[in-house]
Every structure is written in structure tokens, then in C-alpha cells.
């Protein structure tokens, strides 16, 4: 989660949001991009690398705890030709490493403004919307990161490349958010604006979010134009994703196996 990463960055730099009232206010309001923007400005020396971005790279080099099942999600994203099309806002390369373990060779990893045009011939692979850190083991170079409020303002407002991409993506299919709360203001405003446009543009796809249920969470998602698919706990989310991935890999075999488990072995014999 962005909030935990933000806390880890402060810890790594030996800083505290209490040192700046604006940062503390931003943290309290879950505006982590604004807090990091302020922290970057006050810790960066002239013509020197950003200590905040260096901290992000160092923190994400080693595997971090996550409720995401990277292998299952990667398999679930595969199209009829077996090519994954997974859009992520994560900076790390855990999906790429999961793909290597699954034997998915030749899967491109694209990041930031270099992501292929939605719906084009190159529209597949692991697509890092907000950028990606380097991974020497996978021979992947770092890209620019959409990390601070200034970065979000450029990607979603000034140049708008991220906004255009999300809108194009919604016109091509259904988006399912897993582990992404759309807390950053630019993304939230974009989703709410697109939701308001559905009457004028009926080709806009729906957006769903798989998330653990909390008091009022469904209403919060609804305000963003997103339909919540809520679960009692994260274990239920893992199980659903894995089951869904098994179905996606081979719907016919999955259906037969399920019927067999319910009705008995006679079903499998009749269809063999």
C-alpha cells in the first residue's frame, strides 16, 4: 500500500511528517503523494539525486510482503493467445519475476509514458502505469516514477498521458482493481469524471474493485464510480483469484472438473 511505502520512506530518511505541518496534514488525509512531494523538496540538494526516489528504489529491491497473488493475477490476465495484459500501479518487478517462474518467456515489461497504446498491436505484457524501478536480474532499466503530487499533476493533468490511457482502457473492456484504492486525487477525480460521462459515452466499461469489506467501504467505492466486490477477509480474496485463474486457463476443463466434484465421476466419464 502507498501509505506503508510512504511511512517506510520517512523512516529510511530519518524524517518525520511532524517536522512539517503540511506533511502531517497530508498524511492525516491519506494524501501521500502530497506528503512525498514536500519531503522531496526539503531533502533534495541542488543538482543532486532525489533522496526520496532513491529510498523507493532501495525499499522495493527486496521482496516485500503483499496480499497480491502475483502468479494467479498474471495468469488471470492472459488473453486467448496466452498473452498477459496486466496493468499495475506498483513500482516493483514482482509480476515480472512471477512470470519468469511461470515460464512466460518474452513477456514485455512496459512503464510510464512508454506503455503501448491501448488496443494497439503491442498492447500486452506487464504495464506499469506509474513507472518501474530497475531490476538487474531481469535486465530492466528504471523509468520515471509517478510518485509525488507534481508527478500526478503532470501525468493526469498537464500532459495528461495517463488520463488518456485510462479512458482508452475503459473503452476496450472491464477493469478490475485488486489492491489499489485509487487514493491519489488525480486518479480519483478522473474516475469520477468518467463515471459521470457514462450517459453520453455508453462504450465506457465498468470498473470493479476486489477488496476486504470495512464499514462504509462500498459507499466510498461507489463515490469514485467503482463497484465494490467485497470479501470478509483477504484469504477469501486469494482463494477467489486463484479459482478464477484456474477457470481462465481452461474454462471447459474447469467446468467439467467442477461438475465432477459436485455430481460424481460419471460426468467426467460421459464427456471423455
Amino acid at each position: 500500500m502507498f501509505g506503508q511505502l510512504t511511512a517506510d520512506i520517512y523512516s529510511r530518511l530519518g524524517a518525520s511528517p511532524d517536522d512539517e505541518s503540511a506533511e502531517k496534514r497530508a498524511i492525516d488525509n491519506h494524501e501521500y503523494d502530497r506528503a512525498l512531494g514536500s519531503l522531496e523538496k526539503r531533502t533534495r540538494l541542488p543538482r543532486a539525486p532525489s533522496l526520496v526516489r532513491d529510498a523507493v528504489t532501495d525499499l522495493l529491491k527486496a521482496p516485500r510482503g503483499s496480499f497480491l497473488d502475483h502468479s494467479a493475477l498474471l495468469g488471470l490476465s492472459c488473453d486467448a493467445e496466452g498473452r498477459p495484459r496486466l496493468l499495475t500501479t506498483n513500482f516493483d518487478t514482482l509480476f515480472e519475476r512471477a512470470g519468469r517462474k511461470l515460464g512466460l518467456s518474452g513477456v514485455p515489461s512496459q512503464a510510464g509514458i512508454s506503455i503501448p497504446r491501448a488496443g494497439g498491436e503491442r498492447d500486452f505484457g506487464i504495464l506499469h502505469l506509474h513507472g518501474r524501478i530497475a531490476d538487474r536480474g531481469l535486465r530492466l532499466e528504471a523509468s520515471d516514477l509517478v510518485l509525488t503530487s507534481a508527478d500526478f499533476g503532470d501525468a493526469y493533468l498537464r500532459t495528461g498521458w495517463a488520463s488518456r490511457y485510462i479512458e482508452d482502457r475503459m473503452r476496450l473492456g472491464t477493469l478490475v482493481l485488486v489492491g489499489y484504492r485509487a487514493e491519489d486525487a488525480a486518479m480519483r477525480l478522473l474516475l469520477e469524471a468518467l463515471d459521470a460521462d457514462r450517459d453520453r459515452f455508453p462504450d465506457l466499461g465498468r470498473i470493479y474493485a476486489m477488496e476486504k469489506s470495512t464499514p462504509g467501504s462500498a459507499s466510498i467505492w461507489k463515490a469514485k464510480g467503482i463497484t465494490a466486490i467485497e470479501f470478509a477477509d483477504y484469504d477469501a480474496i486469494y482463494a477467489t483469484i486463484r479459482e478464477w485463474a484456474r477457470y481462465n486457463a481452461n474454462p471447459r476443463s474447469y467446468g467439467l472438473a467442477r461438475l465432477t466434484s459436485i455430481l460424481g465421476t460419471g460426468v467426467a466419464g460421459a464427456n471423455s
Side-chain angles (χ1 to χ4, degrees), residues 246 250-258:
R246 283 192 285 269
N250 193 322
R252 185 175 184 277
S253 294
Y254 177 90
L256 289 175
R258 290 291 293 163

Side-chain angles (χ1 to χ4, degrees), residues 118-209:
E121 294 182 357
R122 298 172 51 245
D123 181 26
F124 64 95
I126 300 168
L127 311 169
H128 291 265
L129 181 64
H130 292 164
R132 181 197 63 218
I133 64 171
D135 190 318
R136 290 185 179 180
L138 297 177
R139 298 182 180 178
L140 295 174
E141 296 182 354
S143 76
D144 292 336
L145 302 182
V146 180
L147 179 67
T148 68
S149 52
D151 299 328
F152 279 100
D154 181 71
Y156 287 88
L157 298 174
R158 184 171 64 179
T159 61
W161 62 265
S163 298
R164 290 191 297 272
Y165 182 85
I166 292 296
E167 183 173 1
D168 289 346
R169 189 85 273 159
M170 288 177 63
R171 293 183 185 279
L172 292 171
T174 299
L175 295 181
V176 180
L177 307 182
V178 182
Y180 179 57
R181 305 188 66 87
E183 294 167 328
D184 41 87
M187 176 65 88
R188 175 177 57 80
L189 292 172
L190 172 64
L191 294 175
E192 291 174 3
L194 291 174
D195 186 56
D197 277 344
R198 292 188 189 282
D199 290 339
R200 294 191 299 137
F201 303 108
D203 61 328
L204 287 172
R206 307 301 303 182
I207 303 179
Y208 298 88

Side-chain angles (χ1 to χ4, degrees), residues 19-68:
D19 298 337
E20 288 286 341
S21 59
E23 291 172 26
K24 186 178 187 307
R25 188 179 303 114
I27 293 290
D28 291 342
N29 293 331
H30 306 290
E31 297 172 339
Y32 305 114
D33 55 323
R34 296 187 68 185
L36 291 178
S38 175
L39 178 64
E40 182 174 54
K41 284 191 292 185
R42 71 181 175 92
T43 59
R44 189 170 189 173
L45 298 174
R47 295 183 296 279
S50 166
L51 297 179
V52 168
R53 292 168 200 269
D54 286 347
V56 170
T57 299
D58 290 340
L59 287 165
L60 296 181
K61 278 180 181 178
R64 294 167 60 89
S66 171
F67 83 82
L68 295 177

